[in-house]
Amino acid sequence: LVVQGTYLESKTWNFFPVSKKVIVVGDNDEAGKSFNERIKSQLSNVVDNIIIWDWELLSIQTNQTFKKGFDFTDCATCCIMKSYTYL
């Protein structure tokens, strides 16, 4: 599920069957971190396993630096996703 904007409308919660894992991937900046926490809070009663994508951890694990605002699209198109499994 891709969310554009700053929140997840409750009508989309039907897409999350109980006991499913959701990975929340906000941008690599303060707004992205706020987004992650907001979505986690919204889904906490709907989804059992919510994982927040950790850009800082990925940076350490891959020995790469991600610019402020780096997002999943950037990540998916760069070399780390081609040669490294984060999940």
Side-chain angles (χ1 to χ4, degrees):
L1 175 68
V2 175
V3 176
Q4 288 186 306
T6 59
Y7 70 98
L8 183 63
E9 293 184 31
S10 60
K11 67 182 178 183
T12 60
W13 294 357
N14 298 339
F15 292 109
F16 299 103
V18 176
S19 299
K20 293 294 180 179
K21 176 169 61 173
V22 173
I23 302 169
V24 182
V25 185
D27 294 355
N28 184 34
D29 54 22
E30 289 306 313
K33 289 178 183 177
S34 295
F35 170 83
N36 289 343
E37 291 306 318
R38 194 168 36 255
I39 298 300
K40 181 178 179 180
S41 175
Q42 287 182 299
L43 293 178
S44 63
N45 293 325
V46 181
V47 178
D48 288 343
N49 189 2
I50 302 171
I51 297 170
I52 301 295
W53 187 272
D54 189 336
W55 290 110
E56 293 172 13
L57 177 61
L58 184 60
S59 177
I60 292 166
Q61 290 175 334
T62 62
N63 198 29
Q64 296 188 46
T65 302
F66 304 117
K67 65 180 171 64
K68 184 177 179 181
F70 192 86
D71 63 18
F72 191 74
T73 302
D74 298 324
C75 187
T77 58
C78 78
C79 60
I80 64 166
M81 293 305 283
K82 296 175 184 160
S83 62
Y84 185 82
T85 303
Y86 179 66
L87 302 173

